[in-house]
Amino acid sequence: MFTADRTLTLKNVLLATGVVLTLAMGVRHGFGFWMQPISQANGWTRETYSLAQAMQNLMWGAFGPFAGMAADRFGTMRVVLVGAISYMLGLVWMATITHPTLFVLGSGVFIGLGLACTAFGAVSGIIGRVAPPEKRSWAFGISGAASSFGQFMMMPIEQQLISAVGWQNAFYILGALLVLLMVPMAFYLREPAVEHAHGPQQSIREAASEALGNRSFLFLVAGYFVCGFQVVFIGVHLPAYLRDQGIGNPSVAVLALALIGLFNIFGSYYAGKLGGRFPKRYLLSTIYFSRSVVISLFLLAPLAPMSVYLFAAAMGVLWLSTVPLTNGIIAGVFGVKHMSMLAGIVFFSHQLGSFLGVWLGGYLYSTQGSYNMVWGIAIALGVMSGLINLPINERPLARTQAA
């Protein structure tokens, strides 16, 4: 198991992972700005670019458990370095490839691997290993806030880059920025060599089997699926929904998405902070129930720019506040030795939900001409997830093997 030394302080880890998460999540949240220019330049329908985005989410989830295994076994530094290079290659690929199939597959693999190695799952392990138990939930909240700050900060930057230098050069600049900033931060995440304690050691297979056979872990997996379905459906389809409802000013949608990122800074931070004081399962249930209430009120209220902004602010508070609580439960129940891998398994479920949310939104709209059914599914899933999280057992597992 990795153990922290004097140079691997919680402050340095939070700073380095904060920069990595800000860039990884910030760049990813702005990909919607490239849909129109890329589709027009290559003569594609929007379906091609949408499929590429869905593939990126799916591959991100598929690579997640393996990136987590590598981070737990070989150290977070190496995984982040691989992720930074892969992410940069993915941006260059999107800027240069004009064949639709190659564009979808290549960007899915490169961007998916890049995100798997630089986002929550890969860095959660080192945070859990360095943070003392009483500060662990708070530390996860800080990392969640950093990713939300990235969404708030990077979206206007990416929009301005496309306007100033063109969509292709914007990809090149962002790729260079990722490498120039992520690579130095990775070296702050250098972990000491593995120390083997006396007695039996839990293998990767044993850890995965133990978690997948645990009812509380499966509840977390199911809840995270709902989280992915809701946030990606809203993030991708909200601008189109607003246009359909007569709000044609694109600045309303841009500001709404930025508000989600801004308010999620506070939501993630305080979710982590409260998770150190109250049962995390109750906080998770409250978040999912609250999402269903907020969505219902948004659909029932008269639609206007102000109601959109209020909806975005409320959803922002609830957006990624599930992350520190979910990771906190994993660390508390199963320990931190295989933390990144287990977080990656749970996040894979999140990405399956993301894929279904973005695809089902488009499919049902094309067949029914509205988003009404998808909104209804999102509300029902929120209620279901709120109920699923209530019986989670947060007590650490009592293993029979020697300590």
Side-chain angles (χ1 to χ4, degrees):
M1 177 178 175
F2 292 108
T3 56
D5 64 7
R6 296 174 185 172
T7 62
L8 196 63
T9 64
L10 180 59
K11 178 181 177 180
N12 286 343
V13 167
L14 289 178
L15 173 64
T17 57
V19 172
V20 171
L21 286 168
T22 294
L23 290 169
M25 300 299 291
V27 171
R28 175 241 179 193
H29 274 294
F31 278 159
F33 295 134
W34 276 271
M35 176 181 288
Q36 185 174 356
I38 287 183
S39 299
Q40 289 179 347
N42 294 316
W44 298 339
T45 64
R46 296 187 181 185
E47 182 181 0
T48 299
Y49 190 84
S50 298
L51 182 58
Q53 294 299 297
M55 182 64 69
Q56 290 173 18
N57 278 285
L58 189 62
M59 298 307 296
W60 179 8
F63 284 127
F66 301 102
M69 291 179 197
D72 291 331
R73 178 65 181 86
F74 302 109
T76 308
M77 180 193 73
R78 293 182 175 89
V79 172
V80 171
L81 289 174
V82 171
I85 299 300
S86 181
Y87 210 145
M88 180 270 295
L89 292 174
L91 295 176
V92 173
W93 186 276
M94 294 174 72
T96 55
I97 299 301
T98 59
H99 190 281
T101 303
L102 292 179
F103 181 87
V104 171
L105 295 177
S107 66
V109 171
F110 285 125
I111 300 293
L113 178 61
L115 285 166
C117 293
T118 57
F120 298 111
V123 304
S124 62
I126 191 171
I127 296 173
R129 288 188 282 270
V130 174
E134 67 274 10
K135 289 187 176 181
R136 193 173 287 149
S137 182
W138 169 82
F140 287 137
I142 292 292
S143 66
S147 68
S148 302
F149 176 74
Q151 178 180 352
F152 174 72
M153 179 186 72
M154 292 300 296
M155 288 186 66
I157 290 177
E158 291 169 55
Q159 189 179 42
Q160 290 299 317
L161 277 176
I162 294 173
S163 300
V165 300
W167 66 270
Q168 286 178 306
N169 289 328
F171 274 137
Y172 298 142
I173 292 173
L174 289 173
L177 184 66
L178 286 175
V179 172
L180 290 175
L181 292 181
M182 281 190 180
V183 169
M185 290 299 103
F187 287 96
Y188 282 95
L189 305 176
R190 185 195 302 270
E191 298 181 81
V194 177
E195 294 181 3
H196 297 284
H198 297 292
Q201 296 293 303
Q202 190 180 42
S203 67
I204 290 175
R205 178 177 295 181
E206 290 170 342
S209 297
E210 177 186 68
L212 292 173
N214 183 278
R215 188 181 71 162
S216 294
F217 186 82
L218 297 180
F219 287 158
L220 285 176
V221 169
Y224 237 27
F225 175 90
V226 175
C227 181
F229 183 98
Q230 292 174 328
V231 300
V232 175
F233 164 67
I234 293 172
V236 173
H237 291 282
L238 180 62
Y241 173 77
L242 296 179
R243 286 194 303 270
D244 294 342
Q245 300 301 313
I247 300 180
N249 186 352
S251 64
V252 175
V254 172
L255 181 55
L257 294 176
L259 285 173
I260 289 175
L262 175 63
F263 278 86
N264 192 49
I265 296 173
F266 305 103
S268 295
Y269 174 79
Y270 283 104
K273 193 174 181 66
L274 291 173
R277 300 177 57 187
F278 302 102
K280 299 175 184 64
R281 63 187 183 277
Y282 295 152
L283 295 173
L284 278 173
S285 293
T286 300
I287 289 170
Y288 286 116
F289 285 136
S290 298
R291 284 184 182 180
S292 293
V293 171
V294 169
I295 294 172
S296 298
L297 291 175
F298 173 62
L299 297 176
L300 292 173
L303 190 64
M306 184 53 65
S307 69
V308 175
Y309 300 148
L310 291 174
F311 169 73
M315 284 302 300
V317 173
L318 308 169
W319 197 251
L320 294 179
S321 52
T322 57
V323 174
L325 299 172
T326 301
N327 286 340
I329 291 176
I330 294 172
V333 174
F334 300 99
V336 296
K337 180 176 181 180
H338 298 289
M339 171 75 201
S340 292
M341 178 194 68
L342 297 180
I345 292 174
V346 175
F347 192 72
F348 180 49
S349 174
H350 183 283
Q351 294 308 95
L352 289 176
S354 300
F355 183 90
L356 184 62
V358 68
W359 172 79
L360 193 62
Y363 173 76
L364 290 179
Y365 181 83
S366 64
T367 57
Q368 300 182 358
S370 76
Y371 289 109
N372 291 340
M373 181 172 287
V374 194
W375 284 118
I377 293 173
I379 293 170
L381 287 176
V383 174
M384 181 193 74
S385 187
L387 295 173
I388 282 176
N389 279 273
L390 286 173
I392 287 176
N393 186 348
E394 298 182 41
R395 290 192 299 271
L397 287 181
R399 298 187 175 100
T400 57
Q401 66 183 29

